Amino acid sequence: MAARPRPRSLARRAGVLATAGLLTAAGVLSLAGTAEAATTLGASAAAKGRYFGTAVAASHLGESAYASTLDTEFNMVTPENEMKWDAVEPSRGSFSFGSADQIVSHAQGKGMKLRGHTLVWHSQLPGWVSGLGATDLRSAMNNHINQVMAHYKGKIYAWDVVNEAFQDGSSGARRSSPFQDKLGNGFIEEAFRTARAADSGAKLCYNDYNTDGQNAKSNAVYAMVKDFKQRGVPIDCVGFQSHFNSNSPVPSDYQANLQRFADLGVDVQVTELDIEGSGSAQAASYTKVVNACLAVTRCNGITVWGIPDKYSWRSSGTPLLFDDNYGKKPAYTAVLAALGGTSGGGGDGGTGGACTATYTKTSTWGDRFNGQVTITAGSSAISTWSATVTVTSPQKVVSTWNGTPSWDGSGNVMTMKPNGNGTLAAGASTSFGFTVMTNGNTSAPGIGACTAS
């Protein structure tokens, strides 16, 4: 696979949503999160025992559409640049965690997992690191790992301990870097051993790009991981960045490559996914990646490297799931479907029994909006129906009409049943409405499947 440009300033990359299930009470769907599980990336992935995450920039969290899309769709966060060496230790021994802490606080407040990115990497190093001799460099590397991991101990699901330590091309050799050149091949093992001592509860990962299929580079990483596992060097996972385009497509052996690493006894994770393109071709490529992860038991989850195309490190290639205005692209729909979800919040809520539920926003004010759900009978008459509406905290439904609501324990999932409008002839429709106080979050509600009898 061809090497890609690696801009320094734009990192290449990018509430716990419960695993959804169905509880039946008198034939009515009533579990908290049922609609979310059907209609968001994170909850749909959670239903498959995995996460679906994104890279986050602290500077964008103040943008309401960015934050609401993040909070609605994802259940894992990777700081884009804010945990890299030049950000957290710009001068030796002087640490600055403000921007990274902002991301961590936001993610924790929404119940999201966190990935630490990255501890030891040849790029985005402050100048003082490269100027150290071997003894000082070893001390600085270990101190950096210890200090950063101690600051976030107990908060990080997985750390990219070492990033991109191997060359591109056919050599399978290590990349020239201050660490490699001055400390030798042993620096990776030392970094992992230091990291384990610093936080025994976090997963420790090696992360790289152009290792998605079997090639000289991935073979070299494979050999290192195999050696580490045989000798008891603490490594828990391998990250595959998976940056693709028409010149570097999803390889045909992508799944097999993930599986061979998993067979070594490590977890595998898609850590920085983006795929340049548009339309059905881009959607098909995203589907291949999701299906490959789902087919490998030890593939924990997928992280896309950003939310809207406009903030991507290669925005001209429109590589992400949301367009510049946070519209869901065909690739989004394909990913959601591959995860077992169904489109909602502005579209069909799906079919359950013999009816459908379709959402429309009918009115908007500064602090609230009205929504309407249309219930349509299928090819046969029905005598009753129910549908779920899920709002995203801190949103609250404050009034309803043309239906009888009940609520789950969180107050975010409303199950609506008829109020004298349950009997519908084949193809006939009725509707119910509700008012949502946005409390700063204007995202559309998720509409669960309609059930009928």
Side-chain angles (χ1 to χ4, degrees):
M1 297 168 69
R4 295 162 288 100
R6 317 290 291 174
R8 180 179 185 278
S9 59
L10 287 176
R12 308 175 310 290
R13 314 133 303 254
V16 175
L17 294 173
T19 298
L22 296 178
L23 293 181
T24 303
V28 177
L29 299 178
S30 60
L31 177 68
T34 297
E36 280 189 295
T39 60
T40 70
L41 300 171
S44 298
K48 301 287 189 180
R50 290 164 172 82
Y51 63 78
F52 202 95
T54 186
V56 170
S59 60
H60 299 321
L61 287 174
E63 182 181 337
S64 61
Y66 184 96
S68 65
T69 305
L70 167 65
D71 297 347
T72 300
E73 293 289 346
F74 301 98
N75 58 0
M76 165 71 89
V77 164
T78 303
E80 190 170 356
N81 287 299
E82 291 80 356
M83 285 187 181
K84 291 171 182 170
W85 200 315
D86 61 353
V88 298
E89 193 183 3
S91 58
R92 188 172 185 179
S94 178
F95 289 86
S96 176
F97 295 109
S99 293
D101 285 352
Q102 184 181 354
I103 294 175
V104 171
S105 177
H106 184 97
Q108 287 191 306
K110 300 298 181 180
M112 300 174 180
K113 290 183 177 181
L114 280 151
R115 185 182 197 88
H117 180 76
T118 177
L119 294 168
V120 181
W121 185 34
H122 69 275
S123 188
Q124 290 184 242
L125 280 174
W128 65 267
V129 178
S130 300
L132 298 177
T135 300
D136 273 353
L137 181 61
R138 171 170 281 108
S139 175
M141 180 185 78
N142 288 324
N143 183 64
H144 182 81
I145 294 169
N146 282 322
Q147 295 297 322
V148 175
M149 292 187 73
H151 184 78
Y152 294 111
K153 188 171 184 178
K155 300 178 180 180
I156 302 296
Y157 164 76
W159 276 103
D160 290 326
V161 178
V162 176
N163 201 47
E164 301 176 5
F166 287 83
Q167 293 181 13
D168 290 318
S170 60
S171 70
R174 297 288 183 88
R175 178 193 297 274
S176 176
S177 72
F179 308 103
Q180 180 67 36
D181 299 344
K182 297 175 183 178
L183 304 181
N185 286 349
F187 89 88
I188 300 179
E189 177 177 341
E190 184 169 353
F192 273 85
R193 291 191 183 279
T194 301
R196 176 65 87 225
D199 185 354
S200 61
K203 289 182 178 290
L204 306 182
C205 307
Y206 176 80
N207 190 53
D208 216 326
Y209 69 99
N210 282 353
T211 55
D212 306 292
Q214 187 165 337
N215 54 37
K217 187 174 184 180
S218 66
N219 287 343
V221 175
Y222 179 89
M224 179 190 73
V225 175
K226 183 177 182 180
D227 171 62
F228 280 10
K229 294 299 291 184
Q230 289 174 341
R231 294 192 296 110
V233 179
I235 183 169
D236 303 306
C237 40
V238 177
F240 298 82
Q241 293 182 18
S242 299
H243 300 290
F244 299 125
N245 56 33
S246 59
N247 296 318
S248 180
V250 182
S252 59
D253 60 349
Y254 186 74
Q255 179 182 322
N257 190 52
L258 296 180
Q259 186 64 61
R260 69 166 177 154
F261 277 87
D263 289 343
L264 292 176
V266 293
D267 293 336
V268 294
Q269 298 156 357
V270 182
T271 55
E272 305 181 15
L273 178 64
D274 53 20
I275 305 176
E276 291 186 337
S278 62
S280 59
Q282 183 183 46
S285 294
Y286 266 102
T287 298
K288 289 179 183 177
V289 173
V290 175
N291 286 341
C293 180
L294 293 176
V296 177
T297 302
R298 295 198 69 156
C299 184
N300 304 131
I302 296 169
T303 294
V304 289
W305 205 251
I307 302 175
D309 284 332
K310 65 182 178 180
Y311 294 141
S312 168
W313 68 288
R314 48 182 186 169
S315 57
S316 62
T318 61
L320 298 174
L321 301 178
F322 296 88
D323 65 24
D324 290 354
N325 297 313
Y326 298 91
K328 297 172 181 177
K329 295 163 60 176
Y332 170 94
T333 304
V335 168
L336 187 65
L339 291 170
T342 58
S343 296
D348 289 346
T351 301
C355 61
T356 59
T358 306
Y359 169 75
T360 305
K361 181 184 285 188
T362 57
S363 302
T364 304
W365 298 270
D367 62 347
R368 71 195 71 191
F369 63 83
N370 283 352
Q372 176 178 288
V373 175
T374 299
I375 304 296
T376 304
S379 58
S380 59
I382 62 175
S383 59
T384 190
W385 51 264
S386 68
T388 56
V389 176
T390 302
V391 297
T392 305
S393 181
Q395 293 178 338
K396 288 295 179 186
V397 175
V398 293
S399 63
T400 66
W401 51 94
N402 293 346
T404 302
S406 60
W407 302 90
D408 77 315
S410 72
N412 296 326
V413 181
M414 175 178 70
T415 299
M416 186 68 81
K417 296 188 292 185
N419 182 11
N421 56 342
T423 301
L424 296 173
S429 297
T430 187
S431 64
F432 65 87
F434 49 90
T435 300
V436 177
M437 296 297 298
T438 64
N439 294 314
N441 186 338
T442 60
S443 59
I447 309 303
C450 179
T451 60
S453 62

